[in-house]
PDB file of all heavy atoms in Angstrom:
ATOM      1  N   ALA A   1      96.412   2.796 136.208  1.00 98.00           N
ATOM      2  CA  ALA A   1      97.031   1.559 136.750  1.00 98.00           C
ATOM      3  C   ALA A   1      96.243   0.319 136.243  1.00 98.00           C
ATOM      4  O   ALA A   1      96.812  -0.717 135.946  1.00 98.00           O
ATOM      5  CB  ALA A   1      97.056   1.532 138.219  1.00 98.00           C
ATOM      6  N   LEU A   2      94.920   0.405 136.174  1.00 98.00           N
ATOM      7  CA  LEU A   2      94.140  -0.733 135.688  1.00 98.00           C
ATOM      8  C   LEU A   2      94.311  -0.914 134.216  1.00 98.00           C
ATOM      9  O   LEU A   2      94.335  -2.075 133.787  1.00 98.00           O
ATOM     10  CB  LEU A   2      92.660  -0.414 135.963  1.00 98.00           C
ATOM     11  CG  LEU A   2      92.204  -0.494 137.434  1.00 98.00           C
ATOM     12  CD1 LEU A   2      90.721  -0.269 137.559  1.00 98.00           C
ATOM     13  CD2 LEU A   2      92.555  -1.777 138.036  1.00 98.00           C
ATOM     14  N   ILE A   3      94.498   0.072 133.482  1.00 98.00           N
ATOM     15  CA  ILE A   3      94.884  -0.023 131.994  1.00 98.00           C
ATOM     16  C   ILE A   3      96.175  -0.695 131.921  1.00 98.00           C
ATOM     17  O   ILE A   3      96.341  -1.587 131.008  1.00 98.00           O
ATOM     18  CB  ILE A   3      94.838   1.327 131.324  1.00 98.00           C
ATOM     19  CG1 ILE A   3      93.389   1.988 131.256  1.00 98.00           C
ATOM     20  CG2 ILE A   3      95.383   1.244 129.893  1.00 98.00           C
ATOM     21  CD1 ILE A   3      92.368   1.148 130.565  1.00 98.00           C
ATOM     22  N   ASN A   4      97.136  -0.251 132.681  1.00 98.00           N
ATOM     23  CA  ASN A   4      98.427  -0.970 132.734  1.00 98.00           C
ATOM     24  C   ASN A   4      98.345  -2.400 133.037  1.00 98.00           C
ATOM     25  O   ASN A   4      99.069  -3.263 132.440  1.00 98.00           O
ATOM     26  CB  ASN A   4      99.402  -0.276 133.601  1.00 98.00           C
ATOM     27  CG  ASN A   4      99.692   1.219 133.220  1.00 98.00           C
ATOM     28  OD1 ASN A   4      99.456   1.573 132.134  1.00 98.00           O
ATOM     29  ND2 ASN A   4     100.207   1.952 134.153  1.00 98.00           N
ATOM     30  N   LEU A   5      97.482  -2.760 134.026  1.00 98.00           N
ATOM     31  CA  LEU A   5      97.272  -4.154 134.381  1.00 98.00           C
ATOM     32  C   LEU A   5      96.695  -4.947 133.227  1.00 98.00           C
ATOM     33  O   LEU A   5      97.097  -6.124 132.981  1.00 98.00           O
ATOM     34  CB  LEU A   5      96.404  -4.204 135.614  1.00 98.00           C
ATOM     35  CG  LEU A   5      96.097  -5.597 136.159  1.00 98.00           C
ATOM     36  CD1 LEU A   5      97.386  -6.389 136.541  1.00 98.00           C
ATOM     37  CD2 LEU A   5      95.089  -5.611 137.298  1.00 98.00           C
ATOM     38  N   LEU A   6      95.714  -4.442 132.597  1.00 98.00           N
ATOM     39  CA  LEU A   6      95.086  -5.043 131.423  1.00 98.00           C
ATOM     40  C   LEU A   6      96.204  -5.342 130.340  1.00 98.00           C
ATOM     41  O   LEU A   6      96.191  -6.372 129.666  1.00 98.00           O
ATOM     42  CB  LEU A   6      93.938  -4.240 130.786  1.00 98.00           C
ATOM     43  CG  LEU A   6      92.736  -4.093 131.710  1.00 98.00           C
ATOM     44  CD1 LEU A   6      91.732  -3.130 131.038  1.00 98.00           C
ATOM     45  CD2 LEU A   6      92.041  -5.504 131.866  1.00 98.00           C
ATOM     46  N   ASP A   7      97.098  -4.336 130.076  1.00 98.00           N
ATOM     47  CA  ASP A   7      98.145  -4.554 129.228  1.00 98.00           C
ATOM     48  C   ASP A   7      99.094  -5.747 129.615  1.00 98.00           C
ATOM     49  O   ASP A   7      99.467  -6.571 128.858  1.00 98.00           O
ATOM     50  CB  ASP A   7      98.991  -3.269 129.071  1.00 98.00           C
ATOM     51  CG  ASP A   7      98.282  -2.188 128.282  1.00 98.00           C
ATOM     52  OD1 ASP A   7      97.310  -2.540 127.613  1.00 98.00           O
ATOM     53  OD2 ASP A   7      98.644  -0.984 128.440  1.00 98.00           O
ATOM     54  N   GLU A   8      99.348  -5.719 130.925  1.00 97.00           N
ATOM     55  CA  GLU A   8     100.260  -6.827 131.393  1.00 97.00           C
ATOM     56  C   GLU A   8      99.605  -8.165 131.204  1.00 97.00           C
ATOM     57  O   GLU A   8     100.367  -9.175 131.039  1.00 97.00           O
ATOM     58  CB  GLU A   8     100.547  -6.543 132.910  1.00 97.00           C
ATOM     59  CG  GLU A   8     101.480  -5.369 133.191  1.00 97.00           C
ATOM     60  CD  GLU A   8     101.627  -5.153 134.653  1.00 97.00           C
ATOM     61  OE1 GLU A   8     101.355  -5.999 135.467  1.00 97.00           O
ATOM     62  OE2 GLU A   8     101.997  -4.001 135.096  1.00 97.00           O
ATOM     63  N   LEU A   9      98.284  -8.232 131.399  1.00 97.00           N
ATOM     64  CA  LEU A   9      97.581  -9.479 131.331  1.00 97.00           C
ATOM     65  C   LEU A   9      97.176  -9.814 129.862  1.00 97.00           C
ATOM     66  O   LEU A   9      96.469 -10.811 129.579  1.00 97.00           O
ATOM     67  CB  LEU A   9      96.360  -9.425 132.214  1.00 97.00           C
ATOM     68  CG  LEU A   9      96.629  -9.325 133.710  1.00 97.00           C
ATOM     69  CD1 LEU A   9      95.348  -9.123 134.459  1.00 97.00           C
ATOM     70  CD2 LEU A   9      97.415 -10.498 134.216  1.00 97.00           C
ATOM     71  N   ASN A  10      97.619  -8.955 128.916  1.00 97.00           N
ATOM     72  CA  ASN A  10      97.283  -9.154 127.495  1.00 97.00           C
ATOM     73  C   ASN A  10      95.800  -9.156 127.262  1.00 97.00           C
ATOM     74  O   ASN A  10      95.265 -10.020 126.563  1.00 97.00           O
ATOM     75  CB  ASN A  10      97.963 -10.393 126.983  1.00 97.00           C
ATOM     76  CG  ASN A  10      98.004 -10.452 125.434  1.00 97.00           C
ATOM     77  OD1 ASN A  10      97.953  -9.392 124.834  1.00 97.00           O
ATOM     78  ND2 ASN A  10      98.023 -11.611 124.914  1.00 97.00           N
ATOM     79  N   ILE A  11      95.054  -8.233 127.853  1.00 98.00           N
ATOM     80  CA  ILE A  11      93.596  -8.087 127.642  1.00 98.00           C
ATOM     81  C   ILE A  11      93.398  -6.753 126.920  1.00 98.00           C
ATOM     82  O   ILE A  11      93.256  -5.702 127.599  1.00 98.00           O
ATOM     83  CB  ILE A  11      92.888  -8.186 128.988  1.00 98.00           C
ATOM     84  CG1 ILE A  11      93.157  -9.487 129.642  1.00 98.00           C
ATOM     85  CG2 ILE A  11      91.356  -8.080 128.672  1.00 98.00           C
ATOM     86  CD1 ILE A  11      92.443  -9.530 131.114  1.00 98.00           C
ATOM     87  N   PRO A  12      93.455  -6.757 125.548  1.00 98.00           N
ATOM     88  CA  PRO A  12      93.390  -5.447 124.852  1.00 98.00           C
ATOM     89  C   PRO A  12      92.010  -4.761 125.020  1.00 98.00           C
ATOM     90  O   PRO A  12      91.933  -3.593 124.928  1.00 98.00           O
ATOM     91  CB  PRO A  12      93.702  -5.793 123.442  1.00 98.00           C
ATOM     92  CG  PRO A  12      93.378  -7.305 123.348  1.00 98.00           C
ATOM     93  CD  PRO A  12      93.673  -7.863 124.684  1.00 98.00           C
ATOM     94  N   LYS A  13      90.997  -5.635 125.117  1.00 98.00           N
ATOM     95  CA  LYS A  13      89.593  -5.048 125.168  1.00 98.00           C
ATOM     96  C   LYS A  13      88.663  -5.993 125.927  1.00 98.00           C
ATOM     97  O   LYS A  13      88.880  -7.309 125.874  1.00 98.00           O
ATOM     98  CB  LYS A  13      89.044  -4.861 123.759  1.00 98.00           C
ATOM     99  CG  LYS A  13      87.870  -3.938 123.650  1.00 98.00           C
ATOM    100  CD  LYS A  13      87.661  -3.522 122.162  1.00 98.00           C
ATOM    101  CE  LYS A  13      86.557  -2.417 122.054  1.00 98.00           C
ATOM    102  NZ  LYS A  13      86.413  -1.959 120.673  1.00 98.00           N
ATOM    103  N   CYS A  14      87.771  -5.484 126.676  1.00 98.00           N
ATOM    104  CA  CYS A  14      86.913  -6.395 127.558  1.00 98.00           C
ATOM    105  C   CYS A  14      85.622  -5.688 127.855  1.00 98.00           C
ATOM    106  O   CYS A  14      85.397  -4.540 127.531  1.00 98.00           O
ATOM    107  CB  CYS A  14      87.599  -6.717 128.858  1.00 98.00           C
ATOM    108  SG  CYS A  14      87.950  -5.368 129.960  1.00 98.00           S
ATOM    109  N   PHE A  15      84.642  -6.396 128.459  1.00 98.00           N
ATOM    110  CA  PHE A  15      83.495  -5.812 128.997  1.00 98.00           C
ATOM    111  C   PHE A  15      83.854  -5.297 130.402  1.00 98.00           C
ATOM    112  O   PHE A  15      84.834  -5.759 131.016  1.00 98.00           O
ATOM    113  CB  PHE A  15      82.382  -6.814 129.129  1.00 98.00           C
ATOM    114  CG  PHE A  15      81.911  -7.418 127.802  1.00 98.00           C
ATOM    115  CD1 PHE A  15      82.218  -8.586 127.364  1.00 98.00           C
ATOM    116  CD2 PHE A  15      81.063  -6.534 127.012  1.00 98.00           C
ATOM    117  CE1 PHE A  15      81.768  -9.063 126.136  1.00 98.00           C
ATOM    118  CE2 PHE A  15      80.558  -7.006 125.793  1.00 98.00           C
ATOM    119  CZ  PHE A  15      80.967  -8.325 125.409  1.00 98.00           C
ATOM    120  N   LEU A  16      83.088  -4.358 130.916  1.00 98.00           N
ATOM    121  CA  LEU A  16      83.388  -3.754 132.237  1.00 98.00           C
ATOM    122  C   LEU A  16      82.117  -3.615 133.090  1.00 98.00           C
ATOM    123  O   LEU A  16      81.111  -3.101 132.575  1.00 98.00           O
ATOM    124  CB  LEU A  16      83.985  -2.410 131.937  1.00 98.00           C
ATOM    125  CG  LEU A  16      84.358  -1.516 133.201  1.00 98.00           C
ATOM    126  CD1 LEU A  16      85.408  -2.191 134.154  1.00 98.00           C
ATOM    127  CD2 LEU A  16      84.980  -0.155 132.727  1.00 98.00           C
ATOM    128  N   VAL A  17      82.161  -4.080 134.272  1.00 98.00           N
ATOM    129  CA  VAL A  17      81.049  -3.954 135.220  1.00 98.00           C
ATOM    130  C   VAL A  17      81.597  -3.320 136.553  1.00 98.00           C
ATOM    131  O   VAL A  17      82.527  -3.761 137.120  1.00 98.00           O
ATOM    132  CB  VAL A  17      80.464  -5.338 135.524  1.00 98.00           C
ATOM    133  CG1 VAL A  17      79.314  -5.154 136.652  1.00 98.00           C
ATOM    134  CG2 VAL A  17      79.925  -5.968 134.311  1.00 98.00           C
ATOM    135  N   GLY A  18      80.956  -2.210 136.927  1.00 98.00           N
ATOM    136  CA  GLY A  18      81.412  -1.544 138.171  1.00 98.00           C
ATOM    137  C   GLY A  18      80.259  -1.186 139.091  1.00 98.00           C
ATOM    138  O   GLY A  18      79.091  -0.748 138.598  1.00 98.00           O
ATOM    139  N   TYR A  19      80.452  -1.437 140.415  1.00 98.00           N
ATOM    140  CA  TYR A  19      79.406  -1.202 141.386  1.00 98.00           C
ATOM    141  C   TYR A  19      79.795  -0.042 142.271  1.00 98.00           C
ATOM    142  O   TYR A  19      80.861  -0.014 142.938  1.00 98.00           O
ATOM    143  CB  TYR A  19      79.231  -2.462 142.220  1.00 98.00           C
ATOM    144  CG  TYR A  19      78.472  -2.254 143.503  1.00 98.00           C
ATOM    145  CD1 TYR A  19      77.248  -1.697 143.549  1.00 98.00           C
ATOM    146  CD2 TYR A  19      79.145  -2.565 144.746  1.00 98.00           C
ATOM    147  CE1 TYR A  19      76.544  -1.485 144.755  1.00 98.00           C
ATOM    148  CE2 TYR A  19      78.449  -2.313 145.896  1.00 98.00           C
ATOM    149  CZ  TYR A  19      77.163  -1.773 145.948  1.00 98.00           C
ATOM    150  OH  TYR A  19      76.505  -1.595 147.151  1.00 98.00           O
ATOM    151  N   SER A  20      78.879   1.007 142.385  1.00 98.00           N
ATOM    152  CA  SER A  20      79.003   2.105 143.347  1.00 98.00           C
ATOM    153  C   SER A  20      80.373   2.807 143.127  1.00 98.00           C
ATOM    154  O   SER A  20      80.601   3.384 142.044  1.00 98.00           O
ATOM    155  CB  SER A  20      78.881   1.620 144.740  1.00 98.00           C
ATOM    156  OG  SER A  20      78.631   2.629 145.633  1.00 98.00           O
ATOM    157  N   MET A  21      81.321   2.800 144.076  1.00 98.00           N
ATOM    158  CA  MET A  21      82.588   3.360 143.855  1.00 98.00           C
ATOM    159  C   MET A  21      83.252   2.781 142.622  1.00 98.00           C
ATOM    160  O   MET A  21      83.911   3.498 141.802  1.00 98.00           O
ATOM    161  CB  MET A  21      83.505   3.245 145.023  1.00 98.00           C
ATOM    162  CG  MET A  21      84.901   3.681 144.817  1.00 98.00           C
ATOM    163  SD  MET A  21      86.088   3.269 146.211  1.00 98.00           S
ATOM    164  CE  MET A  21      85.847   4.695 147.212  1.00 98.00           C
ATOM    165  N   GLY A  22      83.155   1.503 142.458  1.00 98.00           N
ATOM    166  CA  GLY A  22      83.715   0.790 141.258  1.00 98.00           C
ATOM    167  C   GLY A  22      83.028   1.221 140.015  1.00 98.00           C
ATOM    168  O   GLY A  22      83.612   1.213 138.900  1.00 98.00           O
ATOM    169  N   GLY A  23      81.722   1.622 140.095  1.00 98.00           N
ATOM    170  CA  GLY A  23      80.993   2.181 138.987  1.00 98.00           C
ATOM    171  C   GLY A  23      81.479   3.526 138.568  1.00 98.00           C
ATOM    172  O   GLY A  23      81.565   3.858 137.419  1.00 98.00           O
ATOM    173  N   ARG A  24      81.827   4.390 139.540  1.00 98.00           N
ATOM    174  CA  ARG A  24      82.378   5.714 139.256  1.00 98.00           C
ATOM    175  C   ARG A  24      83.730   5.531 138.533  1.00 98.00           C
ATOM    176  O   ARG A  24      84.033   6.217 137.539  1.00 98.00           O
ATOM    177  CB  ARG A  24      82.589   6.519 140.520  1.00 98.00           C
ATOM    178  CG  ARG A  24      81.226   7.032 141.132  1.00 98.00           C
ATOM    179  CD  ARG A  24      81.423   8.047 142.232  1.00 98.00           C
ATOM    180  NE  ARG A  24      81.948   7.449 143.462  1.00 98.00           N
ATOM    181  CZ  ARG A  24      83.188   7.576 143.893  1.00 98.00           C
ATOM    182  NH1 ARG A  24      84.075   8.225 143.184  1.00 98.00           N
ATOM    183  NH2 ARG A  24      83.542   7.017 145.056  1.00 98.00           N
ATOM    184  N   LEU A  25      84.520   4.562 139.053  1.00 98.00           N
ATOM    185  CA  LEU A  25      85.756   4.257 138.395  1.00 98.00           C
ATOM    186  C   LEU A  25      85.567   3.735 136.969  1.00 98.00           C
ATOM    187  O   LEU A  25      86.302   4.042 136.011  1.00 98.00           O
ATOM    188  CB  LEU A  25      86.598   3.273 139.232  1.00 98.00           C
ATOM    189  CG  LEU A  25      87.928   2.796 138.718  1.00 98.00           C
ATOM    190  CD1 LEU A  25      88.891   3.901 138.356  1.00 98.00           C
ATOM    191  CD2 LEU A  25      88.537   1.800 139.696  1.00 98.00           C
ATOM    192  N   ALA A  26      84.558   2.851 136.861  1.00 98.00           N
ATOM    193  CA  ALA A  26      84.255   2.235 135.532  1.00 98.00           C
ATOM    194  C   ALA A  26      83.819   3.312 134.533  1.00 98.00           C
ATOM    195  O   ALA A  26      84.287   3.283 133.351  1.00 98.00           O
ATOM    196  CB  ALA A  26      83.181   1.224 135.674  1.00 98.00           C
ATOM    197  N   LEU A  27      83.099   4.270 134.991  1.00 98.00           N
ATOM    198  CA  LEU A  27      82.652   5.415 134.033  1.00 98.00           C
ATOM    199  C   LEU A  27      83.881   6.253 133.660  1.00 98.00           C
ATOM    200  O   LEU A  27      83.987   6.677 132.531  1.00 98.00           O
ATOM    201  CB  LEU A  27      81.607   6.225 134.717  1.00 98.00           C
ATOM    202  CG  LEU A  27      81.047   7.395 133.936  1.00 98.00           C
ATOM    203  CD1 LEU A  27      80.477   6.909 132.624  1.00 98.00           C
ATOM    204  CD2 LEU A  27      80.022   8.156 134.753  1.00 98.00           C
ATOM    205  N   TYR A  28      84.781   6.494 134.617  1.00 98.00           N
ATOM    206  CA  TYR A  28      85.943   7.233 134.354  1.00 98.00           C
ATOM    207  C   TYR A  28      86.765   6.508 133.254  1.00 98.00           C
ATOM    208  O   TYR A  28      87.236   7.135 132.320  1.00 98.00           O
ATOM    209  CB  TYR A  28      86.814   7.505 135.611  1.00 98.00           C
ATOM    210  CG  TYR A  28      88.028   8.318 135.408  1.00 98.00           C
ATOM    211  CD1 TYR A  28      87.960   9.673 135.604  1.00 98.00           C
ATOM    212  CD2 TYR A  28      89.207   7.880 134.844  1.00 98.00           C
ATOM    213  CE1 TYR A  28      89.011  10.594 135.340  1.00 98.00           C
ATOM    214  CE2 TYR A  28      90.331   8.644 134.622  1.00 98.00           C
ATOM    215  CZ  TYR A  28      90.246  10.003 134.901  1.00 98.00           C
ATOM    216  OH  TYR A  28      91.323  10.833 134.612  1.00 98.00           O
ATOM    217  N   LEU A  29      86.960   5.230 133.451  1.00 98.00           N
ATOM    218  CA  LEU A  29      87.649   4.354 132.428  1.00 98.00           C
ATOM    219  C   LEU A  29      87.008   4.435 131.060  1.00 98.00           C
ATOM    220  O   LEU A  29      87.655   4.621 130.092  1.00 98.00           O
ATOM    221  CB  LEU A  29      87.760   2.954 132.935  1.00 98.00           C
ATOM    222  CG  LEU A  29      88.720   2.641 134.030  1.00 98.00           C
ATOM    223  CD1 LEU A  29      88.407   1.326 134.747  1.00 98.00           C
ATOM    224  CD2 LEU A  29      90.179   2.568 133.524  1.00 98.00           C
ATOM    225  N   THR A  30      85.689   4.382 131.091  1.00 98.00           N
ATOM    226  CA  THR A  30      84.893   4.348 129.843  1.00 98.00           C
ATOM    227  C   THR A  30      85.137   5.638 129.068  1.00 98.00           C
ATOM    228  O   THR A  30      85.310   5.648 127.841  1.00 98.00           O
ATOM    229  CB  THR A  30      83.418   4.218 130.165  1.00 98.00           C
ATOM    230  OG1 THR A  30      83.209   2.941 130.853  1.00 98.00           O
ATOM    231  CG2 THR A  30      82.573   4.178 128.868  1.00 98.00           C
ATOM    232  N   LEU A  31      85.097   6.764 129.787  1.00 98.00           N
ATOM    233  CA  LEU A  31      85.123   8.052 129.120  1.00 98.00           C
ATOM    234  C   LEU A  31      86.636   8.478 128.730  1.00 98.00           C
ATOM    235  O   LEU A  31      86.802   9.327 127.872  1.00 98.00           O
ATOM    236  CB  LEU A  31      84.618   9.131 130.017  1.00 98.00           C
ATOM    237  CG  LEU A  31      83.091   8.974 130.368  1.00 98.00           C
ATOM    238  CD1 LEU A  31      82.637  10.005 131.412  1.00 98.00           C
ATOM    239  CD2 LEU A  31      82.192   9.073 129.064  1.00 98.00           C
ATOM    240  N   HIS A  32      87.593   7.901 129.412  1.00 98.00           N
ATOM    241  CA  HIS A  32      88.977   8.215 129.085  1.00 98.00           C
ATOM    242  C   HIS A  32      89.708   7.157 128.278  1.00 98.00           C
ATOM    243  O   HIS A  32      90.773   7.489 127.656  1.00 98.00           O
ATOM    244  CB  HIS A  32      89.753   8.452 130.455  1.00 98.00           C
ATOM    245  CG  HIS A  32      89.354   9.768 131.126  1.00 98.00           C
ATOM    246  ND1 HIS A  32      88.221   9.790 131.899  1.00 98.00           N
ATOM    247  CD2 HIS A  32      89.824  11.011 131.082  1.00 98.00           C
ATOM    248  CE1 HIS A  32      88.102  11.092 132.409  1.00 98.00           C
ATOM    249  NE2 HIS A  32      89.055  11.781 131.900  1.00 98.00           N
ATOM    250  N   PHE A  33      89.254   5.959 128.347  1.00 98.00           N
ATOM    251  CA  PHE A  33      89.860   4.850 127.570  1.00 98.00           C
ATOM    252  C   PHE A  33      88.776   4.029 126.793  1.00 98.00           C
ATOM    253  O   PHE A  33      88.720   2.859 126.953  1.00 98.00           O
ATOM    254  CB  PHE A  33      90.668   3.985 128.490  1.00 98.00           C
ATOM    255  CG  PHE A  33      91.664   4.617 129.281  1.00 98.00           C
ATOM    256  CD1 PHE A  33      91.378   5.087 130.591  1.00 98.00           C
ATOM    257  CD2 PHE A  33      92.995   4.856 128.869  1.00 98.00           C
ATOM    258  CE1 PHE A  33      92.321   5.713 131.413  1.00 98.00           C
ATOM    259  CE2 PHE A  33      93.927   5.513 129.667  1.00 98.00           C
ATOM    260  CZ  PHE A  33      93.577   5.942 130.928  1.00 98.00           C
ATOM    261  N   PRO A  34      88.044   4.693 125.962  1.00 98.00           N
ATOM    262  CA  PRO A  34      86.829   4.043 125.349  1.00 98.00           C
ATOM    263  C   PRO A  34      87.225   2.852 124.425  1.00 98.00           C
ATOM    264  O   PRO A  34      86.407   1.910 124.300  1.00 98.00           O
ATOM    265  CB  PRO A  34      86.173   5.157 124.605  1.00 98.00           C
ATOM    266  CG  PRO A  34      87.177   6.182 124.336  1.00 98.00           C
ATOM    267  CD  PRO A  34      88.071   6.119 125.544  1.00 98.00           C
ATOM    268  N   GLU A  35      88.457   2.987 123.895  1.00 98.00           N
ATOM    269  CA  GLU A  35      88.825   1.867 122.984  1.00 98.00           C
ATOM    270  C   GLU A  35      89.117   0.524 123.702  1.00 98.00           C
ATOM    271  O   GLU A  35      89.225  -0.481 122.997  1.00 98.00           O
ATOM    272  CB  GLU A  35      90.111   2.325 122.231  1.00 98.00           C
ATOM    273  CG  GLU A  35      91.390   2.415 123.081  1.00 98.00           C
ATOM    274  CD  GLU A  35      91.493   3.621 124.014  1.00 98.00           C
ATOM    275  OE1 GLU A  35      90.585   4.473 123.930  1.00 98.00           O
ATOM    276  OE2 GLU A  35      92.469   3.687 124.823  1.00 98.00           O
ATOM    277  N   ARG A  36      89.142   0.536 125.000  1.00 98.00           N
ATOM    278  CA  ARG A  36      89.393  -0.661 125.726  1.00 98.00           C
ATOM    279  C   ARG A  36      88.264  -1.520 126.158  1.00 98.00           C
ATOM    280  O   ARG A  36      88.382  -2.628 126.722  1.00 98.00           O
ATOM    281  CB  ARG A  36      90.252  -0.292 127.036  1.00 98.00           C
ATOM    282  CG  ARG A  36      91.549   0.460 126.751  1.00 98.00           C
ATOM    283  CD  ARG A  36      92.525  -0.257 125.799  1.00 98.00           C
ATOM    284  NE  ARG A  36      93.008  -1.544 126.357  1.00 98.00           N
ATOM    285  CZ  ARG A  36      94.168  -1.709 126.971  1.00 98.00           C
ATOM    286  NH1 ARG A  36      94.947  -0.693 127.120  1.00 98.00           N
ATOM    287  NH2 ARG A  36      94.502  -2.871 127.388  1.00 98.00           N
ATOM    288  N   PHE A  37      87.035  -0.940 125.893  1.00 98.00           N
ATOM    289  CA  PHE A  37      85.827  -1.593 126.420  1.00 98.00           C
ATOM    290  C   PHE A  37      84.717  -1.773 125.337  1.00 98.00           C
ATOM    291  O   PHE A  37      84.381  -0.791 124.606  1.00 98.00           O
ATOM    292  CB  PHE A  37      85.292  -0.816 127.646  1.00 98.00           C
ATOM    293  CG  PHE A  37      86.339  -0.575 128.711  1.00 98.00           C
ATOM    294  CD1 PHE A  37      86.887   0.600 128.831  1.00 98.00           C
ATOM    295  CD2 PHE A  37      86.759  -1.727 129.459  1.00 98.00           C
ATOM    296  CE1 PHE A  37      87.927   0.837 129.801  1.00 98.00           C
ATOM    297  CE2 PHE A  37      87.750  -1.485 130.422  1.00 98.00           C
ATOM    298  CZ  PHE A  37      88.341  -0.170 130.544  1.00 98.00           C
ATOM    299  N   TYR A  38      84.191  -2.955 125.269  1.00 98.00           N
ATOM    300  CA  TYR A  38      83.072  -3.273 124.304  1.00 98.00           C
ATOM    301  C   TYR A  38      81.801  -2.564 124.775  1.00 98.00           C
ATOM    302  O   TYR A  38      81.100  -1.838 124.072  1.00 98.00           O
ATOM    303  CB  TYR A  38      82.857  -4.757 124.155  1.00 98.00           C
ATOM    304  CG  TYR A  38      83.989  -5.542 123.652  1.00 98.00           C
ATOM    305  CD1 TYR A  38      84.649  -6.475 124.445  1.00 98.00           C
ATOM    306  CD2 TYR A  38      84.460  -5.369 122.330  1.00 98.00           C
ATOM    307  CE1 TYR A  38      85.702  -7.209 123.952  1.00 98.00           C
ATOM    308  CE2 TYR A  38      85.543  -6.078 121.853  1.00 98.00           C
ATOM    309  CZ  TYR A  38      86.149  -7.035 122.653  1.00 98.00           C
ATOM    310  OH  TYR A  38      87.207  -7.694 122.239  1.00 98.00           O
ATOM    311  N   LYS A  39      81.394  -2.906 126.009  1.00 98.00           N
ATOM    312  CA  LYS A  39      80.185  -2.361 126.672  1.00 98.00           C
ATOM    313  C   LYS A  39      80.481  -2.360 128.097  1.00 98.00           C
ATOM    314  O   LYS A  39      81.287  -2.999 128.650  1.00 98.00           O
ATOM    315  CB  LYS A  39      79.014  -3.367 126.353  1.00 98.00           C
ATOM    316  CG  LYS A  39      78.503  -3.378 124.959  1.00 98.00           C
ATOM    317  CD  LYS A  39      77.240  -4.295 124.860  1.00 98.00           C
ATOM    318  CE  LYS A  39      76.705  -4.324 123.404  1.00 98.00           C
ATOM    319  NZ  LYS A  39      75.450  -5.205 123.346  1.00 98.00           N
TER     320      LYS A  39
END
């Protein structure tokens, strides 16, 4: 859903910061959608 939101907002690639639960989600995003994140 977050990847879909980035598409809707026309953000093809970005930096990502996640804290605690958000960090677990950020890691999941990193490992499954690596092309979407610089660092």
Side-chain angles (χ1 to χ4, degrees):
L2 290 182
I3 294 299
N4 295 344
L5 179 64
L6 291 174
D7 289 342
E8 289 175 18
L9 297 174
N10 195 28
I11 303 175
K13 199 165 186 176
C14 64
F15 295 106
L16 177 60
V17 177
Y19 163 59
S20 198
M21 173 187 271
R24 290 190 286 104
L25 175 58
L27 181 58
Y28 185 95
L29 283 161
T30 303
L31 297 174
H32 290 83
F33 304 94
E35 71 283 356
R36 304 302 296 262
F37 306 105
Y38 298 116
K39 293 182 176 183

